[in-house]
């Protein structure tokens, strides 16, 4: 019997198109703090909490386009924002709440990498609950 279904098991690797490898490596390693795994010609590999991120120079025009938006989780979005601003990272906005549920708030802020790819910092902040289990006003 042939299986016709499959299940995705997670993200193994994400590729980000870059034009200046040296500037991109400096940004992702030294500013964002990703762990450098190894480099080969036209490619650099990082690790981010179990996901491999590869910076690559496009081999053809077909692959030379902006990347998807990556949402990097942080514990304290305001502190991370301030630290990255000090490191001259260009942000599109300031940290802002995008959704609130009964138990948490989701905050985001978007920034550019050296190739003008847009990425985001994201933080889930638990909502303080009163004695009745309702969010504080």
């Amino acid at each position: 019997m042939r299986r016709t279904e499959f299940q995705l098991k997670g993200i193994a690797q994400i590729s980000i198109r870059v034009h200046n490898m040296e500037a991109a490596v400096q940004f992702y390693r030294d500013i964002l703090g990703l762990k450098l795994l190894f480099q080969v010609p036209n490619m650099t590999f990082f690790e981010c909490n179990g996901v491999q991120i590869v910076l690559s120079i496009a081999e053809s025009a077909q692959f030379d386009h902006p990347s998807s938006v990556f949402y990097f989780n942080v514990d304290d979005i305001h502190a991370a924002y301030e630290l990255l601003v000090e490191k001259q990272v260009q942000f599109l906005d300031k940290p802002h709440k995008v959704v609130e549920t009964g138990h948490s708030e989701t905050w985001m802020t978007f920034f550019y990498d050296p190739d003008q790819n847009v990425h985001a910092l994201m933080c889930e902040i638990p909502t303080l609950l009163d004695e009745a289990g309702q969010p504080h006003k």
Side-chain angles (χ1 to χ4, degrees), residues 52-114:
Q52 191 165 278
I53 296 176
V54 59
L55 306 180
S56 62
I57 295 177
E59 295 178 13
S60 67
Q62 171 186 4
F63 295 106
D64 191 9
H65 54 78
S67 73
S68 300
V69 177
F70 292 91
Y71 295 81
F72 294 98
N73 276 318
V74 294
D75 290 329
D76 184 336
I77 196 164
H78 299 287
Y81 171 83
E82 293 299 328
L83 178 68
L84 293 176
V85 165
E86 289 175 15
K87 293 183 176 189
Q88 308 301 312
V89 173
Q90 183 183 7
F91 280 84
L92 284 74
D93 53 16
K94 292 186 177 189
H96 57 282
K97 182 172 36 175
V98 294
V99 68
E100 182 174 350
T101 66
H103 301 288
S104 68
E105 299 175 348
T106 302
W107 285 68
M108 291 183 192
T109 182
F110 294 85
F111 62 93
Y112 291 108
D113 76 359

Side-chain angles (χ1 to χ4, degrees), residues 4-79:
T4 58
E5 296 179 18
F6 73 97
Q7 181 179 8
L8 297 176
K9 295 182 179 182
I11 297 172
Q13 178 172 289
I14 299 167
S15 178
I16 300 173
R17 182 267 310 143
V18 301
H19 289 114
N20 180 328
M21 187 62 74
E22 184 178 329
V25 168
Q26 190 269 333
F27 181 81
Y28 287 91
R29 179 190 61 209
D30 301 338
I31 294 177
L32 294 186
L34 294 180
K35 180 183 176 186
L36 176 67
L37 297 174
F38 61 94
Q39 293 182 281
V40 296
N42 296 323
M43 298 172 77
T44 301
F45 294 81
F46 291 93
E47 189 271 334
C48 181
N49 197 30
V51 176
Q52 191 165 278
I53 296 176
V54 59
L55 306 180
S56 62
I57 295 177
E59 295 178 13
S60 67
Q62 171 186 4
F63 295 106
D64 191 9
H65 54 78
S67 73
S68 300
V69 177
F70 292 91
Y71 295 81
F72 294 98
N73 276 318
V74 294
D75 290 329
D76 184 336
I77 196 164
H78 299 287

